[in-house]
């Protein structure tokens, strides 16, 4: 059964702007069934997700806007989604970027996820 990750008292872990009816969201599903609904532009920080969502290969993910990651835990995927927004927010900044908080106990798992998702 899929579960939607609760955050700060919200029923749905939705990051980004409100849906304008054009399907600008992508749902990322972790290995343990947590769903993260993220803005399409933020999800495309990952080159792998961007390539999957823009390919002409007829992948089922294109129609459902849902991508399942059987090797990435919910805890890790949540941090990855937060990083997508961090990267998007600071993309054109001329100032020194604030450090993205990275729990040391998650470093290896996040590194492997970032490598798989092709995130810089």
């Amino acid at each position: 059964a899929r579960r939607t990750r609760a955050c700060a008292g919200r029923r749905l872990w939705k990051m980004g702007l409100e849906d304008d009816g054009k399907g600008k969201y992508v749902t990322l599903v972790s290995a343990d069934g947590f769903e993260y609904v993220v803005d399409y532009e933020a999800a495309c920080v990952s080159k792998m997700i961007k390539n999957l969502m823009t390919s002409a290969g007829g992948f089922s993910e294109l129609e459902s806007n849902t991508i399942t990651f059987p090797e990435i835990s919910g805890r890790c995927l949540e941090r990855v989604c937060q990083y997508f927004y961090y990267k998007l927010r600071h993309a054109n900044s001329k100032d020194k970027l604030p450090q993205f908080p990275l729990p040391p106990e998650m470093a290896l798992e996040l590194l492997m996820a970032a490598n798989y998702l092709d995130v810089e």
Side-chain angles (χ1 to χ4, degrees):
R2 289 186 177 170
R3 299 170 284 183
T4 302
R5 177 70 103 188
C7 177
R10 294 183 216 152
R11 282 195 211 128
L12 185 61
W13 180 243
K14 234 182 194 185
M15 304 178 201
L17 307 170
E18 288 301 315
D19 189 5
D20 62 1
K22 296 180 183 176
K24 291 191 173 206
Y25 288 101
V26 178
T27 302
L28 308 179
V29 183
S30 68
D32 42 356
F34 288 102
E35 296 181 351
Y36 299 91
V37 180
V38 298
D39 184 74
Y40 176 82
E41 185 179 0
C44 286
V45 166
S46 161
K47 293 176 189 166
M48 186 277 268
I49 292 174
K50 182 176 182 176
N51 289 339
L52 183 67
M53 298 304 290
T54 58
S55 72
F59 295 107
S60 63
E61 290 86 357
L62 288 171
E63 292 183 22
S64 66
N65 280 358
T66 301
I67 305 171
T68 301
F69 299 103
E71 301 295 325
I72 303 176
S73 72
R75 191 179 105 165
C76 181
L77 190 57
E78 182 174 354
R79 294 298 292 176
V80 168
C81 292
Q82 290 169 353
Y83 181 76
F84 289 166
Y85 284 96
Y86 166 86
K87 183 81 171 171
L88 204 58
R89 185 179 308 119
H90 299 291
N92 297 318
S93 178
K94 293 180 174 118
D95 299 328
K96 183 178 178 186
L97 296 181
Q99 185 172 349
F100 182 76
L102 181 67
E105 66 276 5
M106 291 184 69
L108 181 59
E109 186 179 9
L110 286 167
L111 182 63
M112 292 182 348
N115 184 52
Y116 175 73
L117 294 170
D118 199 5
V119 176
E120 296 176 351

